Amino acid sequence: MSEQILGMIGLYGGAAFGILGWWFGRRMAKKQRGLDELHDHIWQKARSISWYFTLGSTYVLFSLILFGIEIKAGMLLGIIMLVHMASWGIIGVILSINMNMTEPLKPSRVKFGISIVAVSLIIFAILSITTGNWWFLIASIPPSTLGLISALTPDKSVTD
Amino acid sequence: MKNRIKDLRKSKKMTQEELAIKVGVSRQSIIAIESGKYNPSLELAYNISKAFDSIIEDVFILEERGEE
């Protein structure tokens, strides 16, 4: 019962805070004319790319079930939702930073960085599921941080 | 697609923020368009050209092979 209450708090509280954050963010951006066509372009592109990550995670989860690992529906949906939302947000931030930088990001470095984040998340998520120890997910933070730093380092060799 | 926004802006002594206010977009959009990272819509390209009292062809230059 207490698990159910915590779940409800997480589900509806998370959604409420998320919507509030989104609404305030849009309000702040509107004041600086931030809700323009570039904003739409960035976030539509981020959402479309995030579907590839969602597809990849669905495939990995299907494989885990195929190999006999039992995963609860709630956990499964939670992972898919997390992958979708996190990849949407991270890609949106990367695209926004790239558009705002005078020095361009190196595409190969961005791909390498995002791959490190995706691979470490998948590996540690599998470890967490198979061992039942969710602390393994925390171990994915250092490689993911390194991946993000690598992706967001501009290409200084390019000059105008 | 290349553009001459930076040159035109400097000749008119206009900052990125001033141009952004004039065409109703964020400064980030002007930075992205100026550096060639983002190709604006026809409507925005028209508004930017209008801000410099020019026509689109004078501000934006479509390369021979088009957009890559």
Side-chain angles (χ1 to χ4, degrees):
Chain A
M1 187 64 192
S2 64
E3 236 176 53
Q4 207 173 3
I5 291 168
L6 280 173
M8 280 172 86
I9 292 169
L11 189 66
Y12 300 115
F17 274 107
I19 290 167
L20 265 175
W22 173 79
W23 185 75
F24 273 112
R26 281 185 71 86
R27 217 178 134 200
M28 296 285 282
K30 201 176 178 182
K31 281 180 186 168
Q32 295 169 321
R33 303 170 311 282
L35 300 179
D36 56 5
E37 61 174 61
L38 179 66
H39 173 272
D40 292 343
H41 168 78
I42 287 171
W43 290 100
Q44 276 169 16
K45 201 170 176 183
R47 189 172 50 194
S48 84
I49 296 171
S50 74
W51 276 110
Y52 289 103
F53 286 90
T54 311
L55 189 69
S57 68
T58 312
Y59 209 81
V60 170
L61 290 165
F62 261 132
S63 304
L64 287 177
I65 292 168
L66 204 71
F67 288 116
I69 294 160
E70 282 182 22
I71 312 168
K72 284 179 185 170
M75 200 188 277
L76 210 68
L77 291 170
I79 292 169
I80 292 172
M81 195 172 154
L82 180 78
V83 168
H84 187 70
M85 302 294 264
S87 57
W88 186 357
I90 291 168
I91 293 161
V93 169
I94 291 175
L95 289 174
S96 300
I97 291 171
N98 184 38
M99 288 291 182
N100 219 358
M101 279 168 117
T102 46
E103 288 159 338
L105 292 178
K106 205 175 179 181
S108 61
R109 211 177 279 166
V110 172
K111 281 175 193 164
F112 176 71
I114 290 176
S115 304
I116 288 181
V117 175
V119 168
S120 74
L121 272 177
I122 289 168
I123 288 173
F124 287 108
I126 291 170
L127 273 173
S128 301
I129 293 166
T130 49
T131 58
N133 185 356
W134 287 96
W135 287 101
F136 271 117
L137 271 180
I138 291 173
S140 72
I141 294 172
S144 298
T145 311
L146 283 174
L148 279 179
I149 291 169
S150 161
L152 295 174
T153 306
D155 185 12
K156 289 191 176 165
S157 63
V158 177
T159 48
D160 288 324
Chain B
M1 192 160 65
K2 287 181 178 173
N3 66 74
R4 294 176 52 232
I5 295 175
K6 200 173 182 177
D7 297 334
L8 288 165
R9 204 169 45 72
K10 285 193 174 164
S11 71
K12 296 244 176 193
K13 290 191 174 78
M14 198 187 280
T15 63
Q16 288 175 330
E17 183 68 24
E18 284 166 349
L19 177 60
I21 292 169
K22 213 166 181 182
V23 297
V25 295
S26 64
R27 187 171 160 252
Q28 187 195 22
S29 297
I30 299 297
I31 294 169
I33 295 166
E34 223 174 61
S35 60
K37 286 178 188 167
Y38 174 68
N39 288 332
S41 66
L42 186 59
E43 192 186 347
L44 182 53
Y46 174 79
N47 286 336
I48 291 170
S49 308
K50 211 172 147 192
F52 295 123
D53 299 317
S54 305
I55 55 169
I56 290 178
E57 288 92 327
D58 289 340
V59 182
F60 296 94
I61 305 129
L62 189 68
E63 286 160 320
E64 263 183 44
R65 282 170 64 196
E67 199 185 320
E68 286 189 12

